């Protein structure tokens, strides 16, 4: 009989979450905030995406269904929240999520299976995928994790290659979490004409969960974005080529990017003489 839950997969996922929780705590994040974020993402993103795939009766492997549930659920839950917020019935968003969750428990929970990971010497493919995933999070997320921190001396640290962009999105998320339809930050009474859906989801986390806006933008959401990007590229390469070597090559090219910009961020944090990063320390 086939096991519904692969212990290796579950152990790696839980271990990954615990390690990130500990890392974020060392960076000044309130203990438990990341786990609260994960719990909400499961209910608001994964469950709706998984149920939509179930209702469409799409034949997928356990790994593809697991990854696509996250990828599809993100725009779906953002759009639903947008409609509810725009119609001034924000409470309806909670009712819809509860409906998705109830449907998952009643119809899909018994059929749910996790992906299977085999970390064996003969099966190096999964080990290589895991190593590439860790590299993706470290390289792409390390520079972001260190940004927007409350330091022990009471000061605030802003360190980024593009501080003006970060500050604009922080202001935009604060605007969306308090007012809707939003106005242009720094220019009151002017309507916002901007692609604000990603910022709307961040505002949802700030508004409903009470999470810190810098934690959401600099630490929590980057983990989700990089993880879903990794899974999406792997699935696309698998469907197009169906060769393990092609999947690895596609992931490497995506991680490196077109101009090695993520690596310059990482190098700048290690040695700012090689690649200087704009850093501001706001002292009270």
């Amino acid at each position: 009989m086939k096991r519904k839950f692969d212990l290796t997969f579950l152990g790696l996922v839980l271990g990954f979450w615990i390690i990130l929780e500990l890392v974020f705590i060392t960076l000044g994040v309130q203990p438990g905030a990341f786990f609260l974020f994960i719990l909400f993402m499961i209910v608001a993103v994964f469950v709706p995406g998984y149920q939509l795939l179930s209702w469409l009766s799409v034949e997928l492997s356990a790994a593809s269904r697991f990854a696509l549930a996250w990828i599809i659920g993100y725009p779906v839950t953002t759009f639903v929240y947008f409609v509810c917020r725009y119609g001034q019935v924000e409470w309806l968003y909670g009712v819809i999520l509860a409906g998705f969750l109830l449907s998952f428990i009643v119809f899909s929970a018994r059929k749910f299976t996790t992906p299977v990971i085999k970390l064996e010497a003969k099966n190096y493919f999964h080990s290589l995928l895991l190593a590439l995933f860790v590299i993706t999070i470290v390289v792409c997320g390390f520079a972001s994790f260190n940004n927007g921190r409350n330091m022990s001396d009471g000061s605030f640290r802003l360190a980024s290659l593009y501080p003006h962009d970060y500050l604009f999105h922080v202001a935009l998320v604060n605007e969306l979490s308090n007012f809707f339809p939003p106005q242009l930050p720094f220019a009151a009474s002017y309507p916002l004409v901007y692609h604000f859906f990603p910022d709307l989801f961040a505002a949802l986390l700030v508004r409903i969960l009470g999470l810190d806006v810098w934690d959401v933008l600099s630490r929590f959401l980057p983990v989700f974005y990089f993880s879903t990007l990794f899974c999406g590229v792997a699935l696309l390469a698998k469907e197009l080529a169906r060769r393990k070597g092609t999947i690895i090559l596609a992931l490497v090219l995506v991680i490196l990017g077109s101009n090695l910009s993520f690596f310059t961020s990482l190098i700048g944090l290690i040695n700012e003489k090689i690649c200087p990063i704009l850093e501001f320390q706001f002292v009270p």
Side-chain angles (χ1 to χ4, degrees):
M1 183 177 179
K2 185 178 179 181
R3 289 190 306 177
K4 296 180 62 176
F5 303 103
D6 181 66
L7 297 181
T8 302
F9 175 81
L10 291 177
L12 288 173
V13 171
L14 291 176
F16 175 65
W17 289 345
I18 292 173
I19 290 173
L20 283 178
E21 168 74 8
L22 296 176
V23 169
F24 291 152
I25 289 176
T26 61
L27 295 176
V29 177
Q30 184 178 0
F34 180 65
F35 280 131
L36 178 62
F37 166 78
I38 290 296
L39 180 61
F40 182 81
M41 294 296 286
I42 292 173
V43 174
V45 176
F46 177 78
V47 169
Y50 193 92
Q51 279 307 106
L52 287 174
L53 292 174
S54 298
W55 293 337
L56 293 173
S57 299
V58 181
E59 293 293 333
L60 296 168
S61 65
S64 298
R65 185 177 296 273
F66 183 83
L68 284 176
W70 293 102
I71 296 172
I72 294 175
Y74 173 70
V76 168
T77 193
T78 304
F79 180 75
V80 171
Y81 180 69
F82 168 77
V83 173
C84 294
R85 187 84 184 272
Y86 191 81
Q88 298 182 349
V89 285
E90 197 171 355
W91 56 268
L92 184 59
Y93 176 71
V95 174
I96 294 174
L97 289 187
F100 273 117
L101 182 59
L102 181 61
S103 176
F104 176 82
I105 294 173
V106 173
F107 299 107
S108 301
R110 291 176 295 177
K111 302 177 183 179
F112 175 76
T113 58
T114 64
V116 177
I117 294 182
K118 297 180 180 180
L119 300 179
E120 302 172 351
K122 296 181 180 179
N123 190 354
Y124 65 90
F125 178 65
H126 285 174
S127 300
L128 191 54
L129 281 180
L130 179 61
L132 284 174
F133 178 75
V134 173
I135 292 173
T136 302
I137 298 300
V138 172
V139 172
C140 301
F142 189 75
S144 177
F145 294 166
N146 206 35
N147 187 37
R149 291 179 55 196
N150 292 309
M151 309 303 289
S152 58
D153 60 358
S155 61
F156 181 79
R157 184 178 189 270
L158 174 62
S160 172
L161 288 174
Y162 310 102
H164 57 284
D165 188 62
Y166 252 113
L167 291 173
F168 174 75
H169 285 283
V170 168
L172 183 53
V173 170
N174 284 326
E175 172 72 18
L176 288 166
S177 63
N178 290 287
F179 305 102
F180 203 88
Q183 299 178 0
L184 185 65
F186 316 121
S189 77
Y190 285 89
L192 177 67
V193 182
Y194 188 76
H195 51 283
F196 60 81
F197 257 41
D199 296 296
L200 178 62
F201 186 77
L204 161 66
L205 297 172
V206 173
R207 180 179 176 87
I208 294 181
L209 301 184
L211 298 176
D212 181 78
V213 61
W214 285 99
D215 289 339
V216 170
L217 290 179
S218 299
R219 286 169 276 279
F220 298 168
L221 280 180
V223 172
F224 172 73
Y225 291 149
F226 293 137
S227 299
T228 51
L229 173 64
F230 184 93
C231 295
V233 171
L235 289 176
L236 180 61
K238 177 184 175 182
E239 292 300 321
L240 293 178
R242 298 187 180 278
R243 292 183 178 180
K244 296 179 179 179
T246 305
I247 297 175
I248 299 298
L249 178 61
L251 289 171
V252 169
L253 292 176
V254 169
I255 294 172
L256 292 178
S258 59
N259 57 2
L260 305 180
S261 59
F262 291 130
F263 278 100
T264 58
S265 302
L266 185 62
I267 293 172
L269 288 173
I270 298 173
N271 190 335
E272 295 188 5
K273 293 182 180 179
I274 299 177
C275 180
I277 290 181
L278 293 176
E279 180 174 331
F280 301 90
Q281 198 93 359
F282 301 94
V283 179

